[in-house]
Amino acid sequence: MSWAGPEDIYLSTSLASYLDRKLLVLLRDGRKLMGILRSFDQFANAVLEGACERVIVGEQYCDIPLGLYVIRGENVVLIGELDTEREELPPHMIRVSEVEIKRAQKVEREASELRGTMRKRMEFLDFD
Protein backbone atom coordinates (compact mmCIF):
# COMPACT_ATOMS: atom_id res chain seq x y z
CA MET A 1 0.00 0.00 0.00
CA SER A 2 1.38 3.41 -0.91
CA TRP A 3 0.98 6.59 1.08
CA ALA A 4 -0.63 9.61 -0.54
CA GLY A 5 1.46 12.67 0.26
CA PRO A 6 0.28 16.29 0.22
CA GLU A 7 1.38 16.72 -3.40
CA ASP A 8 -1.06 13.94 -4.43
CA ILE A 9 -3.93 15.86 -2.83
CA TYR A 10 -3.01 19.00 -4.82
CA LEU A 11 -2.83 16.96 -8.04
CA SER A 12 -6.26 15.42 -7.55
CA THR A 13 -7.72 18.82 -6.65
CA SER A 14 -6.26 20.38 -9.79
CA LEU A 15 -7.68 17.54 -11.92
CA ALA A 16 -11.17 18.46 -10.69
CA SER A 17 -11.05 21.57 -12.88
CA TYR A 18 -10.62 19.29 -15.94
CA LEU A 19 -13.70 17.12 -15.33
CA ASP A 20 -15.93 16.84 -18.42
CA ARG A 21 -13.34 18.58 -20.58
CA LYS A 22 -11.35 17.28 -23.55
CA LEU A 23 -7.78 16.53 -22.51
CA LEU A 24 -4.48 15.48 -23.99
CA VAL A 25 -2.61 12.99 -21.79
CA LEU A 26 1.05 12.23 -22.46
CA LEU A 27 2.15 8.84 -21.10
CA ARG A 28 5.61 7.67 -19.99
CA ASP A 29 5.91 5.40 -23.02
CA GLY A 30 5.40 8.40 -25.32
CA ARG A 31 1.80 7.68 -26.32
CA LYS A 32 -0.57 10.63 -26.61
CA LEU A 33 -4.19 10.03 -25.60
CA MET A 34 -7.13 12.36 -26.04
CA GLY A 35 -10.58 12.15 -24.52
CA ILE A 36 -13.11 13.60 -22.08
CA LEU A 37 -12.07 13.28 -18.41
CA ARG A 38 -14.93 11.56 -16.58
CA SER A 39 -13.31 10.44 -13.34
CA PHE A 40 -10.04 10.38 -11.39
CA ASP A 41 -8.72 9.53 -7.93
CA GLN A 42 -6.02 10.75 -5.53
CA PHE A 43 -3.36 8.77 -7.43
CA ALA A 44 -4.18 10.52 -10.73
CA ASN A 45 -5.71 7.33 -12.14
CA ALA A 46 -8.12 8.69 -14.72
CA VAL A 47 -11.02 7.58 -16.90
CA LEU A 48 -11.30 9.07 -20.39
CA GLU A 49 -14.51 8.75 -22.39
CA GLY A 50 -14.33 8.71 -26.18
CA ALA A 51 -10.57 8.25 -25.92
CA CYS A 52 -8.28 7.90 -28.88
CA GLU A 53 -4.54 7.54 -29.31
CA ARG A 54 -2.98 10.12 -31.59
CA VAL A 55 -0.11 8.58 -33.53
CA ILE A 56 2.17 10.97 -35.43
CA VAL A 57 4.87 9.84 -37.85
CA GLY A 58 6.56 12.64 -39.76
CA GLU A 59 3.76 14.71 -41.29
CA GLN A 60 1.19 11.90 -41.07
CA TYR A 61 -1.18 11.27 -38.18
CA CYS A 62 -4.02 8.99 -37.17
CA ASP A 63 -6.43 9.03 -34.23
CA ILE A 64 -6.98 5.41 -33.20
CA PRO A 65 -10.27 5.05 -31.27
CA LEU A 66 -10.02 3.41 -27.84
CA GLY A 67 -13.46 4.10 -26.36
CA LEU A 68 -13.72 4.25 -22.56
CA TYR A 69 -10.13 4.13 -21.30
CA VAL A 70 -8.62 3.82 -17.82
CA ILE A 71 -5.17 5.36 -17.32
CA ARG A 72 -2.98 4.40 -14.39
CA GLY A 73 -1.73 7.59 -12.75
CA GLU A 74 1.90 6.47 -12.47
CA ASN A 75 2.08 6.39 -16.29
CA VAL A 76 0.99 10.01 -16.73
CA VAL A 77 3.69 12.55 -17.61
CA LEU A 78 1.49 15.48 -18.58
CA ILE A 79 -2.21 16.38 -18.70
CA GLY A 80 -3.53 19.42 -20.52
CA GLU A 81 -6.84 20.73 -21.74
CA LEU A 82 -7.39 20.88 -25.50
CA ASP A 83 -8.80 24.11 -26.90
CA THR A 84 -11.85 23.00 -28.87
CA GLU A 85 -11.97 26.37 -30.65
CA ARG A 86 -8.52 26.01 -32.21
CA GLU A 87 -7.26 23.67 -34.89
CA GLU A 88 -5.39 20.86 -33.13
CA LEU A 89 -2.74 20.27 -35.77
CA PRO A 90 -0.81 22.40 -38.24
CA PRO A 91 -2.36 22.48 -41.73
CA HIS A 92 0.52 20.53 -43.32
CA MET A 93 -0.32 17.39 -41.29
CA ILE A 94 -2.03 14.63 -43.29
CA ARG A 95 -4.63 12.31 -41.73
CA VAL A 96 -4.10 8.68 -42.76
CA SER A 97 -5.73 5.35 -41.93
CA GLU A 98 -4.70 3.17 -39.00
CA VAL A 99 -3.11 0.66 -41.41
CA GLU A 100 -1.03 3.39 -43.05
CA ILE A 101 0.18 4.89 -39.76
CA LYS A 102 1.14 1.43 -38.42
CA ARG A 103 3.14 0.84 -41.62
CA ALA A 104 4.84 4.25 -41.24
CA GLN A 105 5.66 3.44 -37.57
CA LYS A 106 7.24 0.16 -38.63
CA VAL A 107 9.37 1.86 -41.30
CA GLU A 108 10.45 4.54 -38.80
CA ARG A 109 11.33 1.90 -36.16
CA GLU A 110 13.35 -0.16 -38.67
CA ALA A 111 15.22 2.94 -39.84
CA SER A 112 16.04 3.85 -36.23
CA GLU A 113 17.31 0.33 -35.54
CA LEU A 114 19.45 0.45 -38.69
CA ARG A 115 20.95 3.80 -37.62
CA GLY A 116 21.80 2.27 -34.22
CA THR A 117 23.43 -0.76 -35.87
CA MET A 118 25.44 1.44 -38.23
CA ARG A 119 26.58 3.66 -35.33
CA LYS A 120 27.84 0.60 -33.44
CA ARG A 121 29.74 -0.59 -36.52
CA MET A 122 31.31 2.83 -37.00
CA GLU A 123 32.39 2.95 -33.33
CA PHE A 124 33.95 -0.49 -33.74
CA LEU A 125 35.96 0.76 -36.73
CA ASP A 126 37.15 3.91 -34.95
CA PHE A 127 40.89 3.42 -34.24
CA ASP A 128 41.55 6.49 -32.08
Side-chain angles (χ1 to χ4, degrees), residues 87-106:
E87 193 62 36
E88 292 178 11
L89 290 166
H92 69 276
M93 297 294 291
I94 303 163
R95 179 181 223 121
V96 296
S97 71
E98 189 173 342
V99 171
E100 289 174 285
I101 204 74
K102 297 281 187 197
R103 189 178 312 123
Q105 277 183 309
K106 183 178 181 206

Side-chain angles (χ1 to χ4, degrees), residues 79-94:
I79 296 178
E81 184 177 3
L82 289 172
D83 186 351
T84 55
E85 302 296 314
R86 284 188 61 194
E87 193 62 36
E88 292 178 11
L89 290 166
H92 69 276
M93 297 294 291
I94 303 163

Side-chain angles (χ1 to χ4, degrees), residues 28-46:
R28 282 192 328 192
D29 63 4
R31 288 185 295 154
K32 293 164 277 310
L33 306 179
M34 299 183 311
I36 309 291
L37 180 65
R38 293 299 183 202
S39 184
F40 65 91
D41 64 13
Q42 71 270 25
F43 305 109
N45 296 319

Side-chain angles (χ1 to χ4, degrees), residues 21-88:
R21 296 190 182 193
K22 188 171 184 181
L23 302 182
L24 171 70
V25 181
L26 178 63
L27 302 180
R28 282 192 328 192
D29 63 4
R31 288 185 295 154
K32 293 164 277 310
L33 306 179
M34 299 183 311
I36 309 291
L37 180 65
R38 293 299 183 202
S39 184
F40 65 91
D41 64 13
Q42 71 270 25
F43 305 109
N45 296 319
V47 177
L48 294 182
E49 181 180 43
C52 67
E53 177 183 356
R54 173 154 292 167
V55 180
I56 300 173
V57 179
E59 294 186 355
Q60 298 179 333
Y61 78 97
C62 180
D63 292 337
I64 301 170
L66 304 170
L68 192 65
Y69 204 78
V70 178
I71 302 169
R72 196 170 161 103
E74 66 184 31
N75 293 319
V76 174
V77 173
L78 177 129
I79 296 178
E81 184 177 3
L82 289 172
D83 186 351
T84 55
E85 302 296 314
R86 284 188 61 194
E87 193 62 36
E88 292 178 11

